[in-house]
Amino acid sequence: MKFGGSSLADAAQVRKVGEIVKARRPSRPVVVCSAHKGITDALIVAAHRAATGDVSASEIVDKQRRIVADLDGDDALLSGLYKDLEDVLRGISLVREVSPRVLDFVQSFGERMSVRAVAHHLNRAEVRAEAFDAFDLGFITDAAFNEARPIEGYEARMRVAFADRVPEDTVPVITGFVGKTEDGAITTVGRNGSDFTASCFAAGLGAEECQIWTDTDGVMTADPRVVESARNIPAMSFAEAGELARYGGRVLHPSTLVPAVKADIPVRVLNTNRPQHPGTVITRAGRDNPDAFTSIAYKENQTVMTIESEGMLGQYGFLARVFDVVAKHEVDIDMVSTSEISVSMTTEGRRDLAPLVAALEPHGTVTVAGNKSLVCVVGRRIRSQTGVAAQVFTALANAGVNVEMISHGANNINLSLVVDDRQINAAVGSLHRALFG
Ligand code: ASP
Ligand code: MG
């Protein structure tokens, strides 16, 4: 059972989580927690501020302290961590630099504090519980700070650690997001990565299912903050969920499914604020959805890069050369579309593409356009059903949205488009009305 930041936003939310865990006590839950909402962001800001000489942990400490106090918890519970955090920030202010390694260390405080607060509350609520740092239960990672991955054999390591350290009658409350290298440096698996941690533990322990507790009724047909009439999707396949996560669906971290798919463990997305709702169950087979469409996902602030070259005409090897350069620059591409003489691709807008563009220039004329949104329509019948593309493009035309790039995923379950960031709400709203009624 993984509880995200919004599920743990304040004492009232933590109490809800307590009730949910208590009710499921007989199935021997393993709990994985994110930091309380806003804490990770605040830690990152504090680390960067410290590098300019401005040391302040008080906002974070006050917020954490208030949650513990509102839970009638012991104020001394986290005092060691508060002091460590202040010390680390002071250290950063002295060296005036935050390396990825130090940033991971700073970010780890969020989860290390929240699991202790949650376990403390569970014990008060008469559920025997104990807080654990994931790395003490086998979550040992490589040294790729900010995007660490568990090293091979983690499943067996988790099982041994559990047998050694977790008493049968105790609910372990484990840090999401945080790991440690074999040499003892604290790592994180990347923003919103607690889902991934949970899925790794589910795979390692052979869980019955991996539950992701969040603030919507499972996975929805569109982001409910943008589309009011968005509704729950009761079931879907790993493939559909994977496309949605990768193309901007807010509910699951894109890596979450990898360990679950490998171990063939169902992932269920549930609502902490409405625990009786069955949510969405994601399995290998999914369900035979009678609708052509499952859901719409989108991500803003993407960049489209186009390489145009007459040399591509009648040539082989052009794409191989282009993508070789892209790979060497470790730029992650989401969507690709080609013509006889050009290839366009999208990537995250935050990334500085100047070095890649320079390296591609010998291969053709490169243009870069930012502030684009990637919209992805996922559905298992997109290919087989007549008129599906017409429905999508008519909806966009009716909303006055210009489509700048199109790609129909080779796995046949996604149709992706690029539109301008400024048109994203109009695009998603109109698509949802047309495709989901
Ligand atoms: N606390 C981390 C973050 O905000 C991890 C997570 O929430 O899953 O990114
Ligand atoms: Mg999250």
Side-chain angles (χ1 to χ4, degrees):
M1 304 177 75
K2 176 263 175 176
F3 295 93
S6 58
S7 295
L8 300 168
D10 52 24
Q13 288 297 115
V14 175
R15 286 203 179 89
K16 289 186 197 170
V17 167
E19 291 299 315
I20 291 169
V21 173
K22 193 172 192 173
R24 285 156 185 77
R25 186 72 193 84
S27 20
R28 293 201 63 198
V30 171
V31 173
V32 172
C33 291
S34 294
H36 305 289
K37 185 177 184 175
I39 295 272
T40 309
D41 288 332
L43 286 164
I44 293 170
V45 170
H48 289 299
R49 269 211 206 118
T52 69
D54 174 8
V55 176
S56 170
S58 58
E59 195 195 318
I60 297 159
V61 170
D62 289 352
K63 186 167 179 170
Q64 185 67 58
R65 191 168 253 145
R66 191 167 340 109
I67 293 175
V68 174
D70 289 348
L71 289 166
D72 304 317
D74 206 335
D75 189 56
L77 178 71
L78 300 173
S79 47
L81 285 170
Y82 300 154
K83 182 176 176 300
D84 287 354
L85 175 61
E86 270 155 26
D87 287 348
V88 178
L89 293 178
R90 195 156 308 112
I92 294 172
S93 79
L94 292 175
V95 294
R96 299 269 164 148
E97 186 197 309
V98 253
S99 63
R101 174 175 172 153
V102 170
L103 191 60
D104 272 0
F105 185 45
V106 172
Q107 290 183 85
S108 75
F109 280 85
E111 275 71 7
R112 290 194 287 140
M113 296 189 298
S114 73
V115 290
R116 286 162 176 83
V118 170
H120 190 63
H121 169 68
L122 283 172
N123 281 307
R124 290 280 168 93
E126 280 154 19
V127 179
R128 190 180 297 246
E130 190 176 335
F132 288 95
D133 294 321
F135 44 78
D136 290 330
L137 293 179
F139 198 76
I140 302 299
T141 71
D142 58 24
F145 296 101
N146 305 169
E147 51 181 9
R149 287 292 172 267
I151 55 179
E152 220 178 298
Y154 74 85
E155 296 96 335
R157 214 170 286 119
M158 282 174 177
R159 286 192 292 272
V160 171
F162 259 72
D164 276 0
R165 310 188 62 151
V166 184
E168 291 233 352
D169 63 347
T170 298
V171 176
V173 183
I174 309 171
T175 55
F177 185 51
V178 177
K180 206 182 229 180
T181 65
E182 277 175 306
D183 324 328
I186 285 192
T187 56
T188 72
V189 298
R191 292 306 307 272
N192 300 315
S194 299
D195 295 354
F196 174 68
T197 307
S199 169
C200 290
F201 274 101
L205 302 172
E208 200 173 298
E209 69 179 17
C210 175
Q211 300 183 341
I212 306 293
W213 289 84
T214 179
D215 57 2
T216 57
D217 293 337
V219 184
M220 309 286 280
T221 49
D223 185 342
R225 281 166 300 189
V226 177
V227 179
E228 221 179 286
S229 59
R231 53 174 198 261
N232 158 265
I233 306 161
M236 67 171 86
S237 65
F238 285 137
E240 288 167 289
E243 293 289 340
L244 286 174
R246 180 161 170 78
Y247 287 95
R250 302 286 190 277
V251 177
L252 284 179
H253 182 274
S255 304
T256 312
L257 294 165
V258 177
V261 170
K262 217 171 122 199
D264 201 7
I265 292 172
V267 174
R268 188 183 292 275
V269 182
L270 293 149
N271 190 348
T272 300
N273 304 317
R274 230 150 56 104
Q276 66 287 0
H277 192 287
T280 301
V281 62
I282 306 166
T283 55
R284 177 153 300 163
R287 66 162 177 164
D288 193 21
N289 186 349
D291 305 327
F293 303 101
T294 304
S295 182
I296 305 167
Y298 71 91
K299 40 183 181 182
E300 294 166 280
N301 193 20
Q302 305 295 300
T303 296
V304 177
M305 191 171 56
T306 301
I307 304 117
E308 218 169 313
S309 166
E310 300 295 337
M312 198 173 158
L313 246 174
Q315 282 281 330
Y316 55 84
F318 177 79
L319 290 177
R321 287 192 292 277
V322 165
F323 285 108
D324 189 44
V325 175
V326 172
K328 285 205 174 103
H329 283 78
E330 297 182 352
V331 171
D332 188 10
I333 302 297
D334 285 317
M335 177 173 162
V336 179
S337 145
T338 61
S339 78
E340 271 298 299
I341 58 156
S342 73
V343 51
S344 297
M345 52 191 103
T346 70
T347 185
E348 285 287 337
R350 273 168 311 199
R351 179 85 193 232
D352 173 19
L353 293 176
L356 173 61
V357 170
L360 285 171
E361 235 123 44
H363 300 272
T365 313
V366 185
T367 48
V368 174
N371 300 318
K372 302 295 175 195
S373 290
L374 190 59
V375 183
C376 175
V377 179
V378 171
R380 294 172 89 181
R381 291 176 197 239
I382 285 183
R383 191 176 79 143
S384 56
Q385 199 157 308
T386 312
V388 158
Q391 257 179 292
V392 168
F393 293 111
T394 306
L396 293 169
N398 287 345
V401 174
N402 181 36
V403 177
E404 303 185 22
M405 193 174 149
I406 303 164
S407 162
H408 179 19
N411 61 4
N412 302 323
I413 64 165
N414 100 42
L415 181 64
S416 336
L417 316 154
V418 171
V419 305
D420 202 88
D421 271 346
R422 284 169 303 195
Q423 295 200 294
I424 187 63
N425 283 3
V428 174
S430 178
L431 279 172
H432 196 270
R433 272 191 303 280
L435 308 182
F436 295 97

